[in-house]
Amino acid sequence: MRRLILPVVLVAALALTGCDGGEPAPPAAGPGAGAETDLDLPADGAGTETPACPFTAAQVSELVGQSMVDDGNCSFGDGTGVAALSVTTASRLAGETTYDYQHQQAEQTYQTVTDLDGDGKGYLAVKDIGAEAVLVGGAGSFTVTLSGFERLGAQPDGYEQALRRLLDALPR
């Protein structure tokens, strides 16, 4: 996710300033020029702030049913290097910008991809050895990935249940 943010910002900057170093293009005339019509973001700048990590190691441990330690940068591990959970946070704007691409990649990587109902947009993607969920809402964008959880992989819907508990605990 973080790898996608910089290229998107650079493309936007180039589109706004132009590549030839000359004068920038004049703004479009007419009502609503410059409005965020496609992304439906508030005009006061809301939706551009990146939320902090929403979990502690204790919260993650409770939600996944396994003892986890904080590895820094909103990454958590089981202490043995096997099970891993990470949460990537981004602004709502960044989440909206990359959502379709992430969804498409999930469809190619995971066995099942289920769109989430409710506020914002999101999906839950699961395979036998890992899972991913993306939630884009008013509080920001969150990408949650899990892998290497032996206990979760042994249950038919273990990864999905764990992701749903994690998603329910995220700020909206």
Side-chain angles (χ1 to χ4, degrees), residues 49-77:
E49 294 182 21
T50 300
C53 182
F55 300 121
T56 64
Q59 290 170 317
V60 168
S61 297
E62 183 179 327
L63 292 167
V64 298
Q66 180 174 330
S67 179
M68 302 294 284
V69 296
D70 189 339
D71 291 335
N73 294 327
C74 213
S75 295
F76 306 90

Side-chain angles (χ1 to χ4, degrees), residues 51-133:
C53 182
F55 300 121
T56 64
Q59 290 170 317
V60 168
S61 297
E62 183 179 327
L63 292 167
V64 298
Q66 180 174 330
S67 179
M68 302 294 284
V69 296
D70 189 339
D71 291 335
N73 294 327
C74 213
S75 295
F76 306 90
D78 63 358
T80 65
V82 178
L85 181 149
S86 68
V87 181
T88 303
T89 62
S91 68
R92 179 175 173 197
L93 176 60
E96 291 276 356
T97 303
T98 60
Y99 180 82
D100 291 335
Y101 176 78
Q102 285 183 281
H103 194 284
Q104 178 186 29
Q105 291 300 304
E107 288 175 340
Q108 295 174 10
T109 305
Y110 293 91
Q111 293 165 336
T112 61
V113 177
T114 306
D115 290 328
L116 300 174
D117 294 330
D119 295 338
K121 63 170 84 171
Y123 66 84
L124 187 103
V126 180
K127 60 183 175 180
D128 59 346
I129 59 171
E132 171 183 280

Side-chain angles (χ1 to χ4, degrees), residues 32 77 154 161:
Q161 288 179 7

Side-chain angles (χ1 to χ4, degrees), residues 47-52 89-92 135-142 170-172:
T48 59
E49 294 182 21
T50 300
T89 62
S91 68
R92 179 175 173 197
L135 178 65
V136 180
S141 173
F142 303 90
L170 289 174
R172 303 293 173 142

